[in-house]
Amino acid sequence: DDDGDGDAAVVVDTKPKTKRPPLYKVLLLNDDYTPMEFVVAVLERFFGMSHAQAFEIMLTVHKKGVAVVGVFSHEIAETKVAQVMDFARRHQHPLQCTMEKE
Ligand code: TYC
């Protein structure tokens, strides 16, 4: 660093950085039309939750508007979002699923 003594020291050694890839939260959003049992089925099918666990998370989304349903690598998160959106579209439900960097 330039501490005013005429030289300008340079950092030659740095911490070996093993950069882990970022993780992404997959979020499920509430709406007024998607049936509760459909949301439960989505959480069981695509997120490997038990029926009780899926029901609990569904109720959280219903009451609070949104909930994190899982945390994944970018590629896996994108796949989950696409699977949920496609499944909802095929059943003509407006259910929305998104992802965001943790
Ligand atoms: N609010 C919906 C209903 O009352 C149920 C619902 C829950 C919808 C969670 C979407 O992500 C959701 N039928």
Side-chain angles (χ1 to χ4, degrees):
D1 63 325
D2 194 339
D3 50 13
D5 68 358
D7 75 331
V10 175
V11 176
V12 292
D13 221 340
T14 56
K15 202 186 285 170
K17 281 201 190 71
T18 55
K19 291 223 330 184
R20 301 151 304 171
L23 292 174
Y24 291 79
K25 298 183 281 197
V26 171
L27 309 168
L28 205 60
L29 278 59
N30 187 38
D31 66 73
D32 293 338
Y33 305 104
T34 304
M36 289 185 171
E37 51 272 34
F38 182 82
V39 178
V40 171
V42 162
L43 294 171
E44 291 173 330
R45 176 185 288 243
F46 299 113
F47 298 92
M49 295 183 194
S50 69
H51 191 79
Q53 203 176 2
F55 198 91
E56 199 173 278
I57 299 289
M58 180 280 297
L59 272 189
T60 300
V61 179
H62 177 69
K63 287 193 266 194
K64 304 185 81 156
V66 62
V68 176
V69 298
V71 178
F72 307 97
S73 69
H74 187 271
E75 185 176 349
I76 300 292
E78 268 195 335
T79 300
K80 299 284 183 193
V81 169
Q83 286 173 331
V84 172
M85 293 300 285
D86 187 59
F87 192 63
R89 185 192 52 76
R90 273 163 25 222
H91 289 84
Q92 299 187 295
H93 294 311
L95 182 65
Q96 295 293 308
C97 184
T98 62
M99 60 192 271
E100 66 175 38
K101 204 185 211 159
E102 205 176 43

